[in-house]
């Protein structure tokens, strides 16, 4: 049986889909090449990224399925779902049969799966647009560490490239050792290894203490409801939330508890 | 950067502002500009305070000094509380700092009335104008209109704000006269009406063929107001009538309900041990039914039943009073009819309609659509078959839903936990606002 592999990029995956459909290859599974482990039963078929094939397949999906379906595919690609590639492939193939009606087949497993996962990724991205916290570094750059279930970094980078277009910023996906870097014009994603916490600017800790103060002042004590708070703000997101961390014991801007992972 | 004194001021002026329930940062369509910030039509929540309410905007007062002596208000003139005031520049700096750190979606600026309504309104305008023009802030601004301020000032304020609001606070003329004798009802409704008219006029201009290419911004996210619940004797029916009037005639985007919390001792105020949170929750549920589900106030309540049920939500209560309308057949019912089935919301109804276009619905499909059947099961048929665990009899259904099964934890407590922010979050994510 054939296991198709690709280089791990979205374009690579689209190239792979295009190749499989054109050559009528029926992959048993689709795996990123670096994660593939050879075995006795299966045969690996690596499909190299072909940008023009990827682009024309992307256009085909947009026209035959819908822009919404393409967005679903991209969101699922960012997800931590195991076997996401083969799920995406089955959804795309089914879509080429149904055409524009694809997303109405809500009781079909192939569609329901993609919708559920896409919704999860979309929700996490939306949530992180609110929960991400930038810290001002002493070199003037803005730095935000994040820890997310899914790889929502590209969605965040796109959002903040418009919102904070006058700043140089870094969004650091700590567990994935990956960062989005923005230089006031465009952003790109790269692997980074961080060994020490970045130095904060003079004003950063003061700004954080103002925010913590505001955060505690705005709660109405007659309505205190920690269960409700955690329902909206699950504890797994607290690590880098300024308002959920105690203020550093002394003003020492070379150490920052929030950055250690 | 603002220093230590700012910490104290911020505490005083945030604590004075916290009783305003408005939290939305949604509904604006501010064009992208070279300045700092963007707005997102779905709104974004940035944190949740210890009371479980979402924090989206930096909600503060310009000053908590006030010439009025409204009985229910913590900042009333006669109260001996610490007073403070921000300068426009201090507010701008604070907003810009918080915004660029992504603590907030924008600014919510209100104020006690200092010197006169006009003076206060001018101060607020000066601040947001500075924020827009000097700091080039392009994020969300919610600005309070000051009752009694000159209408020209009101319209100027609308040019800089994404949303404006003027709080009615007490849901009847009599209550206002009793608890806020210095405020006149007209001083609240007149600016609201004038802003509403301008918004409607702008809408009509936009529809015209020879519409101008660009139109100056005018409070693109519309206006809202707040009603205090439980400080005065109005019934839920009176409050719902007022809300639907505000939505229809004043074209408001949102009415907020704020459970009354006693902050002052006054013989004209009721003594409450806990804020009426469940009642507030029921009003928000009903408010959603008015705005998104096509219900009218008179359908939800009437003179014989002027208050919402403690045990069950307003939608299922309506259904139980109208059993003749059910069950509906999921394979043929119109969208509007589906929306009236308890337990089926906007998203579920849309999913049913979508699936119906490609196949006939079977009962098993409902679980795949993640439709919650707990309440819905009594009110529909699928291909003619009824699936409820008791016949469609209002008394039996009520029993089923309110008497806890053995081994099932009562959901009574949960009612207090779900407040408006649940629906806010859901709608924010799905863009239903």
């Amino acid at each position: 049986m054939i296991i198709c592999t690709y280089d791990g990029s979205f374009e690579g995956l689209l190239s792979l889909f295009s190749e499989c459909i054109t050559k009528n290859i029926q992959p048993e599974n689709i795996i990123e090449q670096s994660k593939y482990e050879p075995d006795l039963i299966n045969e690996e078929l690596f499909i190299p990224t072909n940008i023009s094939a990827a682009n024309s397949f992307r256009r085909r999906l947009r026209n035959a399925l819908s822009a919404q379906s393409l967005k679903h595919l991209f969101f699922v690609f960012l997800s931590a779902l195991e076997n996401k590639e083969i799920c995406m492939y089955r959804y795309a193939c089914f879509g080429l049969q149904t055409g524009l009606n694809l997303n109405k087949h809500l009781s079909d497993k192939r569609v329901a799966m993609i919708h559920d996962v896409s919704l999860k990724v979309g929700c996490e991205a939306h949530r992180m647009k609110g929960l991400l916290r930038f810290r001002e570094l002493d070199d003037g750059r803005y730095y935000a560490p994040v820890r997310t279930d899914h790889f929502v970094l590209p969605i965040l980078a796109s959002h903040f490239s418009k919102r904070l277009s006058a700043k140089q910023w870094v969004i650091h996906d700590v567990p994935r050792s990956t960062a989005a870097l923005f230089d006031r014009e465009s952003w790109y994603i790269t692997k980074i290894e961080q060994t020490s916490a970045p130095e904060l600017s003079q004003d950063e800790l003061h700004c954080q203490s103002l925010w913590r103060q505001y955060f505690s002042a705005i709660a109405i004590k007659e309505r205190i409801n920690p269960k409700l708070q955690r329902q909206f703000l699950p504890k797994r997101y607290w690590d880098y939330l300024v308002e959920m961390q105690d203020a550093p014991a002394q003003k020492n801007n070379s150490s920052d508890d929030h950055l250690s992972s | 950067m603002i220093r230590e004194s700012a910490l104290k001021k911020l505490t005083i002026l945030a604590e004075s502002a916290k009783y305003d329930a408005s939290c939305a940062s949604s509904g604006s369509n501010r064009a992208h500009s070279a300045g700092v910030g963007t707005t997102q039509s779905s709104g974004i929540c940035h944190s949740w305070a210890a009371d479980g309410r979402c924090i989206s905007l930096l909600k503060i007062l310009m000053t908590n000094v006030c010439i009025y002596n409204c009985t229910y208000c913590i900042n009333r003139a006669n109260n001996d509380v610490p007073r403070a005031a921000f300068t426009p520049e201090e507010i701008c700096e604070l907003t810009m700092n918080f915004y660029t750190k992504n603590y907030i979606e924008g600014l919510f600026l209100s104020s006690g009335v200092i010197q006169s309504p006009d003076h206060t309104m001018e101060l607020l305008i000066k601040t947001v104008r500075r924020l827009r023009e000097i700091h080039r802030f392009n994020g969300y601004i919610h600005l309070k209109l000051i009752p009694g301020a000159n209408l020209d000032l009101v319209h100027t304020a609308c040019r800089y704000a994404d949303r404006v609001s003027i709080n009615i606070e007490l849901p009847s003329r009599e209550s206002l006269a009793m608890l806020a004798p210095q405020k006149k009802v007209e001083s609240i409704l007149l600016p609201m009406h004038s802003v509403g008219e301008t918004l409607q006029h702008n809408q009509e201009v936009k529809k015209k063929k020879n519409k101008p290419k660009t139109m100056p911004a005018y409070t693109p996210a519309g206006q809202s107001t707040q009603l205090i619940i439980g400080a005065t004797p109005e019934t839920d029916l009176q409050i719902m009538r007022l809300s639907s009037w505000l939505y229809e005639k004043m074209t408001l985007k949102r009415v907020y309900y704020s459970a009354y919390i006693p902050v002052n001792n006054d013989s004209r105020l009721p003594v409450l041990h806990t804020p009426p949170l469940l009642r507030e929750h029921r009003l928000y549920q009903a408010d959603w039914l008015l705005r998104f589900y096509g219900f009218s106030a008179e359908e939800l309540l009437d003179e014989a039943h002027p208050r919402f049920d403690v045990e069950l939500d307003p939608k299922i209560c309506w259904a139980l009073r109208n059993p003749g309308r059910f069950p509906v057949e999921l394979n043929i019912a119109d969208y509007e009819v589906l929306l009236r089935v308890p337990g089926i919301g906007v998203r579920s109804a849309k999913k049913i309609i979508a699936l119906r276009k490609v196949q006939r619905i079977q009962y098993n499909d409902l679980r795949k659509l993640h439709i919650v059947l707990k309440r819905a099961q009594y009110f529909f048929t699928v291909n003619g078959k009824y699936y409820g665990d008791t016949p469609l009899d209002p008394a039996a259904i009520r029993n089923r839903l309110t008497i806890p099964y053995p081994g099932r934890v009562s959901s009574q407590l949960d009612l207090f936990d779900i407040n408006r922010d649940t629906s806010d979050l859901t709608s924010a994510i799905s863009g239903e606002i």
Side-chain angles (χ1 to χ4, degrees):
Chain A
M1 283 184 278
I2 298 172
I3 308 281
C4 289
T5 59
Y6 69 112
D7 64 3
S9 68
F10 191 57
E11 284 70 25
L13 192 56
L14 291 179
S15 312
L16 186 154
F17 288 178
S18 166
E19 182 83 0
C20 286
I21 287 167
T22 339
K23 299 206 172 148
N24 201 18
I25 301 165
Q26 308 284 341
E28 174 68 13
N29 201 358
I30 302 171
I31 303 176
E32 198 181 323
Q33 198 187 25
S34 61
K35 291 179 186 154
Y36 175 72
E37 289 171 11
D39 59 37
L40 292 171
I41 310 157
N42 296 305
E43 181 192 336
E44 183 195 5
L45 175 64
F46 174 72
I47 295 168
T49 299
N50 175 336
I51 295 291
S52 76
N55 285 340
S56 76
F57 191 66
R58 193 198 302 257
R59 269 196 303 279
R60 185 177 166 194
L61 290 180
R62 184 178 292 129
N63 295 335
L65 279 50
S66 63
Q68 186 62 35
S69 299
L70 198 57
K71 189 179 161 192
H72 283 316
L73 283 170
F74 181 61
F75 276 24
V76 173
F77 176 72
L78 301 178
S79 78
L81 175 74
E82 253 181 77
N83 297 333
K84 63 187 179 189
E85 292 91 345
I86 195 75
C87 295
M88 292 165 64
Y89 183 65
R90 288 178 186 144
Y91 171 80
C93 289
F94 183 47
L96 292 172
Q97 294 168 28
T98 62
L100 299 172
N101 276 336
L102 173 61
N103 293 326
K104 297 194 177 92
H105 288 269
L106 293 164
S107 65
D108 188 286
K109 243 185 174 169
R110 290 163 289 190
V111 177
M113 165 85 112
I114 292 293
H115 282 200
D116 288 352
V117 177
S118 168
L119 184 70
K120 279 189 188 135
V121 173
C123 284
E124 186 171 54
H126 180 85
R127 178 179 248 156
M128 286 313 296
K129 284 178 191 174
L131 298 184
L132 175 148
R133 299 284 176 264
F134 281 107
R135 290 123 171 96
E136 191 187 43
L137 303 184
D138 65 354
D139 61 6
R141 284 189 306 166
Y142 275 52
Y143 171 79
V146 295
R147 180 193 303 275
T148 55
D149 298 340
H150 307 288
F151 184 60
V152 294
L153 198 53
I155 306 175
L156 296 178
S158 162
H159 173 75
F160 287 104
S161 67
K162 296 177 198 100
R163 175 158 291 197
L164 297 179
S165 54
K167 302 269 183 210
Q168 274 190 297
W169 49 249
V170 179
I171 303 173
H172 183 190
D173 184 330
V174 180
R176 293 182 184 85
S177 301
T178 304
L181 275 63
F182 179 74
D183 61 2
R184 297 199 182 93
E185 283 190 355
S186 58
W187 56 270
Y188 66 96
I189 286 179
T190 181
K191 284 272 166 197
I192 59 164
E193 291 302 330
Q194 192 174 354
T195 47
S196 62
E199 302 258 322
L200 300 177
S201 77
Q202 290 285 318
D203 282 335
E204 177 58 27
L205 290 180
H206 179 63
C207 190
Q208 291 189 1
S209 61
L210 281 174
W211 174 240
R212 285 193 195 93
Q213 188 65 28
Y214 175 76
F215 181 76
S216 73
I218 204 70
I220 297 179
K221 66 175 190 301
E222 290 85 349
R223 303 180 63 132
I224 294 292
N225 190 343
K227 195 176 146 201
L228 184 64
Q229 183 187 31
R230 277 199 305 278
Q231 188 181 318
F232 294 116
L233 199 51
K235 278 202 160 166
R236 65 179 189 283
Y237 294 109
W238 289 17
D239 286 0
Y240 301 120
L241 270 184
V242 169
E243 61 271 32
M244 290 305 183
Q245 308 296 324
D246 294 329
Q250 55 187 43
K251 286 195 176 180
N252 175 358
N253 62 10
S254 65
S255 73
D256 186 357
D257 297 343
H258 322 132
L259 299 181
S260 58
S261 56
Chain B
M1 187 72 205
I2 325 151
R3 289 290 156 193
E4 294 309 321
S5 63
L7 213 58
K8 249 184 218 159
K9 270 201 226 177
L10 180 61
T11 312
I12 295 171
L13 295 171
E15 282 187 349
S16 319
K18 71 186 173 189
Y19 296 103
D20 199 300
S22 163
C23 69
S25 57
S26 58
S28 192
N29 56 357
R30 191 158 286 280
H32 186 50
S33 83
V36 179
T38 49
T39 55
Q40 176 128 346
S41 62
S42 61
I44 296 178
C45 300
H46 284 253
S47 197
W48 281 268
D51 53 14
R53 298 189 309 157
C54 95
I55 300 175
S56 182
L57 306 172
L58 168 63
K59 195 185 286 179
I60 41 172
L61 300 192
M62 187 99 212
T63 176
N64 64 341
V65 174
C66 194
I67 55 172
Y68 291 149
N69 201 30
C70 304
T71 318
Y72 53 84
C73 181
I74 186 147
N75 300 316
R76 64 173 172 175
N78 286 358
N79 271 9
D80 181 21
V81 293
R83 306 277 173 175
F86 273 127
T87 65
E89 179 55 21
E90 281 172 333
I91 287 177
C92 291
E93 275 193 37
L94 202 54
T95 307
M96 295 308 285
N97 274 318
F98 281 9
Y99 190 82
T100 53
K101 304 290 166 68
N102 203 42
Y103 300 163
I104 53 168
E105 197 60 14
L107 173 67
F108 173 109
L109 187 60
S110 180
S111 184
V113 180
I114 182 168
Q115 286 181 29
S116 70
D118 279 354
H119 176 78
T120 313
M121 196 70 248
E122 276 166 4
L123 210 54
L124 293 180
I125 292 171
K126 191 176 164 192
T127 308
V128 292
R129 203 174 153 183
R130 189 178 180 88
L131 195 54
R132 291 276 190 232
E133 289 175 356
I134 296 183
H135 296 268
R136 304 181 73 205
F137 178 69
N138 196 43
Y140 197 92
I141 297 179
H142 180 142
L143 194 64
K144 279 280 160 208
L145 301 177
I146 304 298
N150 183 304
L151 283 184
D152 289 341
L153 290 174
V154 166
H155 291 299
T156 309
C158 290
R159 290 192 1 236
Y160 297 99
D162 289 278
R163 170 167 285 178
V164 295
S165 62
I166 185 160
N167 284 354
I168 295 178
E169 306 289 21
L170 301 170
S172 73
R173 193 177 281 271
E174 296 73 33
S175 294
L176 262 172
M178 180 175 74
L179 297 183
Q182 290 152 299
K183 279 189 200 162
K184 295 278 165 289
V185 181
E186 287 67 29
S187 70
I188 297 168
L189 296 184
L190 208 68
M192 194 183 265
H193 180 69
S194 182
V195 171
E197 266 193 337
T198 312
L199 281 166
Q200 266 186 327
H201 172 78
N202 288 354
Q203 283 295 326
E204 278 155 28
V205 173
K206 271 183 202 160
K207 278 184 207 149
K208 281 183 186 160
K209 270 187 187 163
N210 55 349
K211 64 176 178 185
K213 271 197 183 130
T214 54
M215 282 176 59
Y218 187 90
T219 185
Q223 48 176 345
S224 66
T225 192
Q226 164 171 293
L227 302 172
I228 297 175
I229 303 310
T232 46
E234 290 79 13
T235 62
D236 294 332
L237 176 60
Q238 280 171 288
I239 292 168
M240 277 293 107
R241 277 186 181 146
L242 175 57
S243 294
S244 30
W245 181 79
L246 289 167
Y247 287 132
E248 280 164 30
K249 295 291 183 309
M250 293 292 196
T251 62
L252 288 205
K253 278 276 168 63
R254 280 295 296 270
V255 176
Y256 288 91
Y257 308 92
S258 181
Y260 170 66
I261 293 168
V263 289
N264 300 323
N265 288 323
D266 191 298
S267 57
R268 287 166 292 180
L269 290 169
V271 178
L272 297 177
H273 296 291
T274 50
L277 295 182
L278 177 61
R279 186 172 177 213
E280 180 193 277
H281 176 56
R282 290 278 178 258
L283 284 163
Y284 275 111
Q285 289 179 317
D287 185 85
W288 246 254
L289 295 177
L290 293 185
R291 289 188 297 142
F292 301 115
Y293 290 76
F295 281 91
S296 69
E298 277 71 21
E299 282 180 299
L300 299 173
L301 296 165
D302 53 46
E303 300 296 350
H305 310 87
R307 289 175 198 279
F308 288 118
D309 198 293
V310 177
E311 292 180 319
L312 293 172
D313 70 71
K315 191 179 179 189
I316 199 162
C317 288
W318 170 82
L320 293 178
R321 283 198 307 275
N322 294 277
R325 291 185 176 233
F326 298 101
V328 302
E329 168 56 45
L330 291 192
N331 274 300
I332 51 170
D334 287 337
Y335 175 73
E336 292 73 22
V337 175
L338 288 175
L339 268 187
R340 293 193 164 226
V341 175
I344 293 184
V346 171
R347 277 189 288 180
S348 295
K350 282 185 178 161
K351 283 194 240 175
I352 291 170
I353 299 277
L355 182 59
R356 250 168 34 183
K357 289 196 174 141
V358 293
Q359 64 162 81
R360 221 179 147 75
I361 293 181
Q362 308 298 326
Y363 181 67
N364 283 342
D365 293 329
L366 300 179
R367 289 199 188 279
K368 294 181 196 159
L369 301 185
H370 304 311
I371 289 172
V372 182
L373 296 173
K374 186 182 160 197
R375 277 161 294 159
Q377 58 176 317
Y378 309 109
F379 301 98
F380 65 78
T381 58
V382 187
N383 299 313
K385 187 164 185 259
Y386 177 79
Y387 289 88
D389 61 15
T390 176
L392 207 173
D393 166 58
I397 295 172
R398 174 174 280 275
N399 272 341
R400 271 291 195 219
L401 292 172
T402 53
I403 297 171
Y405 298 47
R408 202 191 74 185
V409 182
S410 163
S411 62
Q412 282 299 301
L413 259 179
D414 289 341
L415 289 173
F416 291 90
D417 289 337
I418 314 161
N419 80 355
R420 68 196 163 284
D421 292 322
T422 313
S423 13
D424 262 356
L425 181 72
T426 323
S427 344
I429 288 169
S430 61
E432 276 160 21
I433 283 185

